[in-house]
Amino acid sequence: MNSRRDFLKHISGAALVASAAPSILTWALPQGQSVPVPGEDGMILRSFRFVDLEAPVEYFNTWLTPVPHFFVRNHMHEPSELGAGDWRVTVGGEVEKPLTLSLAELSKIESHSVVNTLECAGNGRSLHRPQVPGIQWGKGAVGTARFSGPRLRDVLQRAGVKSTGNHVMFRGLDEVPGKVPPFIRSIPMEKALDADTLLATHMNGFPLTKHHGFPARALVPGWIGAASCKWLTEIKVLDAEFVGNFMSTGYRLPNQPVKPGDAVKPEDTHPVTALNVKSVIAGPSDGASLKTGKVAVHGAAWAGEADIAKVEVSTDGGATWSPAKLGHDQAQYAWRLWSYEWKPAKVGDYTLLSRATDSLGRTQPATAVWNPSGYLYNAVDQVKIHVS
Ligand code: MTE
């Protein structure tokens, strides 16, 4: 075996048991051996074959998510060899002057920062009923970071977009296993030219880590995470939306609500773009047992390209609602932390709910809109606790 990946390929996923040690996440093997998993302390491993890490909701108590606690979503293997010196990104397609840029050249272009809440379209998939196949994300495939790097539009302007350019396609350097199609998607020109759409090289002030797309990734703020291609190697201006697995089949929603088992024709679907309005309760934890006294119910709420207008909390299973206090930190595409101080009147079992409303007037529904791929789950959040 010549690499850790080869070793990992040799151990059957089904035979493994996850165990979170205090400082490093490891997989305990039946023989008592363990191998380090390229995750971070306390993160939930959702897929071992390709690294998919989810944050426990209890981590959502800072406006900016520390990078080690930022979820990771990979459709295939992360690139194995990535030297900053050798790396290049090409810009071609419907442009006047195709370009090739090194990291040094990219870093000479004016940098811009955007605090963005990045959420996987499949976040919350495990909560849809009936259940749908795919990575069974709980609530933590979301995080907020300050992303920095040149604006995509400044790079496109250098290349000179032709009048025939309508979409911008991104290709990553992922290692594509077997017959899996490569991770290639495109965004419409209007979003590509938005002043906040970036070729991000930094996250929370530091160069991107490999999990998050080193040395450069697209950052398409307010949109599902899949729009923000990691390990960029090619940017191509197209005359129309990219045709391929992750654009024409994946990441699409039916135009009309459908029921499980309904046949959905591709022409009756559209690509998922901006995120929904949503809130989650970070504390108290589901199943917690508390003593009487003051309880801080708190969490985070976000709404893609829109702003959070209010978050309401119910401590009686939805019979009555009270406004939560929104945190001071805010930015256009970033979540708001919120909190609500509650003093339970008596001991017993309680269901706590949170419900966000955004500047577009959208409110989290009691039940999320079911769809065959389990995207954009955003039902009112709930935790059950006991007060003794
Ligand atoms: N880019 C490449 N090249 N390959 C991928 O598998 N996953 C996408 C997106 N960019 C992906 C990618 C998806 S589905 C999401 S949700 C985000 O990356 C996750 O970004 P993160 O891993 O930095 O949190």
Side-chain angles (χ1 to χ4, degrees), residues 69-88:
H69 292 167
F70 204 99
F71 82 100
V72 177
R73 171 60 171 132
N74 293 330
H75 280 276
M76 39 205 85
H77 295 297
E78 297 188 350
S80 46
E81 299 299 331
L82 270 176
D86 304 333
W87 177 85
R88 300 284 183 276

Side-chain angles (χ1 to χ4, degrees), residues 51-53 70-76 78 118-122 137 141 147 171-174 183-185 203 211-213 217-218 224-232 246 251:
V51 179
D52 287 315
L53 301 172
F70 204 99
F71 82 100
V72 177
R73 171 60 171 132
N74 293 330
H75 280 276
M76 39 205 85
E78 297 188 350
L118 194 75
E119 185 187 18
C120 184
W137 295 110
F147 293 91
R171 179 199 290 267
L173 278 168
D174 320 47
F183 188 81
I184 306 177
R185 303 191 73 247
M203 193 170 169
H211 283 334
H212 298 292
R217 74 178 301 165
I224 58 165
S228 294
C229 184
K230 303 193 277 191
W231 314 293
L232 272 180
F246 292 98
Y251 295 108

Side-chain angles (χ1 to χ4, degrees), residues 213-283:
F214 174 84
R217 74 178 301 165
L219 194 269
V220 183
W223 284 29
I224 58 165
S228 294
C229 184
K230 303 193 277 191
W231 314 293
L232 272 180
T233 183
E234 183 186 2
I235 299 169
K236 190 171 178 186
V237 177
L238 306 176
D239 59 359
E241 187 176 286
F242 177 73
V243 177
N245 182 59
F246 292 98
M247 202 71 214
S248 323
T249 315
Y251 295 108
R252 297 185 83 85
L253 281 173
N255 295 339
Q256 307 297 333
V258 295
K259 292 189 300 302
D262 283 357
V264 186
K265 293 195 201 113
E267 60 270 30
D268 295 334
T269 65
H270 61 274
V272 199
T273 55
L275 295 172
N276 256 341
V277 62
K278 186 162 173 178
S279 68
V280 292
I281 300 172

Side-chain angles (χ1 to χ4, degrees), residues 69-195:
H69 292 167
F70 204 99
F71 82 100
V72 177
R73 171 60 171 132
N74 293 330
H75 280 276
M76 39 205 85
H77 295 297
E78 297 188 350
S80 46
E81 299 299 331
L82 270 176
D86 304 333
W87 177 85
R88 300 284 183 276
V89 63
T90 61
V91 186
E94 302 294 311
V95 296
E96 307 290 348
K97 293 170 291 179
L99 302 175
T100 301
L101 295 167
S102 66
L103 190 57
E105 286 163 330
L106 210 55
S107 63
K108 285 194 195 117
I109 303 172
E110 186 196 346
S111 178
H112 180 62
S113 290
V114 175
V115 179
N116 178 60
T117 293
L118 194 75
E119 185 187 18
C120 184
N123 191 26
R125 178 178 288 125
S126 67
L127 305 169
H128 275 290
R129 292 293 175 273
Q131 276 186 296
V132 289
I135 300 279
Q136 293 300 300
W137 295 110
K139 301 174 186 177
V142 58
T144 299
R146 178 174 283 111
F147 293 91
S148 317
R151 293 182 165 100
L152 174 60
R153 77 172 182 198
D154 288 349
V155 171
L156 291 175
Q157 266 160 18
R158 284 172 186 227
V161 175
K162 290 184 183 168
S163 58
T164 45
N166 293 314
H167 266 252
V168 177
M169 178 207 103
F170 304 116
R171 179 199 290 267
L173 278 168
D174 320 47
E175 287 174 18
V176 183
K179 294 197 176 114
V180 177
F183 188 81
I184 306 177
R185 303 191 73 247
S186 70
I187 58 169
M189 187 58 74
E190 192 190 356
K191 188 70 175 171
L193 295 180
D194 188 285

